[in-house]
Amino acid sequence: MNNLNFTVVIPLFNKAEHILRTLKSVEWQKYPAAEIIIIDDGSTDEGPAIVKNANMKNVRLIHQENQGVSAARNNGVSLASHEYIAFLDADDQWLPLFLDEVARLIVKFPQAKFFGTRYQIVASENTYCDAKIKLENMNPEGVILDNYFNIAAQGDLPFTMSSMVIERSLFQSIGGFPLNEPIGEDQDLFCRVALNTPIAYSPNIHSLYHKDAQNQASKNNIPSTECGFSVRITKEARKDTKRSSAKDMLKYSATHLCHLAKLNIGNGHFSQARTLLSDPRCKLKPKHLVGLYGLSWIQQTSQWLTNIIYNKQS
């Protein structure tokens, strides 16, 4: 197992507040990373300087003009010296046994080319919660996850960008990350992986996903229309509706539409939310559909009444 070498790829853009914590989590791995490539995607803060001053061994800091996280990750893979690529976002953390667990999965499941672990969500500084992943009777020693779309359609994703490792050959063969898509590029990769290779999975928590971080793309870029990965996986499902995974793939895209609707309701974009919910696929998630439709009207009415009262008072 000790002859397995990992290249860690970290895209960096204005994460000065978090990058040192992230790097320390790599440094504290029981199974050491052979190489750490940090792609500075045109940061305007002190993040790159913090990386330099950390003086960690095996770290390469590469600068590029701002092109987005997908281009940064693709660039990192192209520069990697080793076959196993471990992505880590610049505001997330690994627990000390992450690479050790993945190395064990690689040995246990030689047929797999993608490896993931469960994760915990950090909602705020002192609030940690388990991801709501629909896992049943999972062997703690690891399993082959052959129903990604079914699991992802019922709750949180089984892994994140910071709790997975991919073979470089697979990454290159499926085309890497899509460019010019500011959100959903991670799920695009996960979908293509699920269609092309067995996924080895550990149900044990080895990563922390920080929702409390500053400058998160998922907070700054809330789409009002369906993301590219969902459009593409829907098209793929409709090519052959008789295959066993087709309905799960459509339900997965319905889950995405409902999630976007919820985000738009939270932002006060009620008509956009109802437009998303009007897609026929959302009928595959009937409870979400009814609940979110009702919530959109309740929130819009509440906002309308608040504006009337405010205008009268002023």
Side-chain angles (χ1 to χ4, degrees):
M1 192 168 81
N2 291 331
N3 63 346
L4 298 173
N5 291 317
F6 295 96
T7 291
V8 183
V9 174
I10 302 175
L12 176 64
F13 179 70
N14 291 350
K15 296 287 185 178
E17 186 176 344
H18 311 296
I19 185 60
L20 187 59
R21 176 186 67 193
T22 298
L23 287 174
K24 289 295 183 183
S25 79
V26 179
E27 189 176 43
W28 293 337
Q29 290 298 296
K30 177 184 177 182
Y31 192 110
E35 177 181 46
I36 305 166
I37 298 177
I38 300 173
I39 305 295
D40 170 33
D41 189 37
S43 294
T44 57
D45 65 3
E46 296 301 311
I50 291 172
V51 172
K52 289 181 181 179
N53 293 334
N55 291 319
M56 284 178 59
K57 65 179 182 179
N58 300 327
V59 171
R60 297 168 62 191
L61 177 62
I62 308 297
H63 300 279
Q64 68 176 36
E65 292 184 4
N66 182 254
Q67 300 173 53
V69 67
S70 290
R73 290 179 181 138
N74 289 345
N75 190 12
V77 174
S78 72
L79 296 169
S81 303
H82 305 290
E83 177 65 7
Y84 294 102
I85 309 297
F87 291 106
L88 179 60
D89 285 349
D91 48 15
D92 290 338
Q93 292 173 271
W94 287 339
L95 299 181
L97 295 179
F98 174 73
L99 288 180
D100 188 72
E101 182 81 334
V102 172
R104 192 180 59 76
L105 289 175
I106 291 170
V107 173
K108 185 177 177 66
F109 301 104
Q111 72 273 37
K113 295 184 178 181
F114 184 97
F115 313 88
T117 78
R118 194 168 187 159
Y119 56 96
Q120 198 166 50
I121 297 169
V122 184
S124 61
E125 186 175 355
N126 296 309
T127 304
Y128 294 72
C129 54
D130 291 343
K132 296 177 181 178
I133 306 169
K134 292 294 183 179
L135 302 174
E136 295 181 4
N137 303 318
M138 282 281 181
N139 185 340
E141 296 297 313
V143 297
I144 289 293
L145 200 71
D146 56 4
N147 54 349
Y148 167 79
F149 295 108
N150 179 270
I151 292 172
Q154 297 185 69
D156 290 326
L157 299 178
F159 39 77
T160 70
M161 280 306 306
S162 298
S163 72
M164 48 74 59
V165 169
I166 188 171
E167 286 190 12
R168 181 175 55 181
S169 57
L170 173 64
F171 182 85
Q172 293 170 336
S173 70
I174 63 177
F177 290 99
L179 301 178
N180 303 315
E181 294 186 13
I183 192 169
E185 80 294 331
D186 52 350
Q187 293 194 62
D188 182 86
L189 181 75
F190 300 162
C191 288
R192 284 179 288 128
V193 164
L195 292 171
N196 283 277
T197 186
I199 296 173
Y201 184 73
S202 168
N204 305 313
I205 294 171
H206 290 288
S207 174
L208 298 178
Y209 170 46
H210 280 268
K211 282 192 173 181
D212 61 337
Q214 300 296 317
N215 192 33
Q216 277 197 316
S218 58
K219 295 178 181 177
N220 298 334
N221 301 290
I222 297 178
S224 58
T225 57
E226 182 179 7
C227 290
F229 79 87
S230 182
V231 173
R232 289 187 285 271
I233 203 62
T234 298
K235 184 177 180 180
E236 182 68 27
R238 287 172 175 164
K239 285 181 182 178
D240 183 5
T241 56
K242 293 182 179 180
R243 65 177 167 184
S244 58
S245 60
K247 186 173 181 180
D248 288 334
M249 291 159 70
L250 292 173
K251 189 175 289 187
Y252 175 75
S253 67
T255 301
H256 166 67
L257 291 170
C258 289
H259 177 65
L260 288 187
K262 184 178 180 180
L263 293 177
N264 275 273
I265 291 169
N267 262 17
H269 301 152
F270 306 113
S271 61
Q272 289 95 323
R274 289 192 288 272
T275 297
L276 288 161
L277 293 170
S278 67
D279 189 289
R281 284 169 290 169
C282 290
K283 293 178 181 178
L284 295 171
K285 305 284 290 184
K287 291 182 180 179
H288 291 76
L289 176 61
V290 173
L292 289 168
Y293 253 125
L295 180 64
S296 72
W297 284 113
I298 290 170
Q299 295 278 35
Q300 186 171 4
T301 302
S302 176
Q303 186 181 88
W304 178 67
L305 291 173
T306 299
N307 290 337
I308 289 176
I309 293 171
Y310 175 81
N311 290 332
K312 284 185 176 180
Q313 290 178 342
S314 59

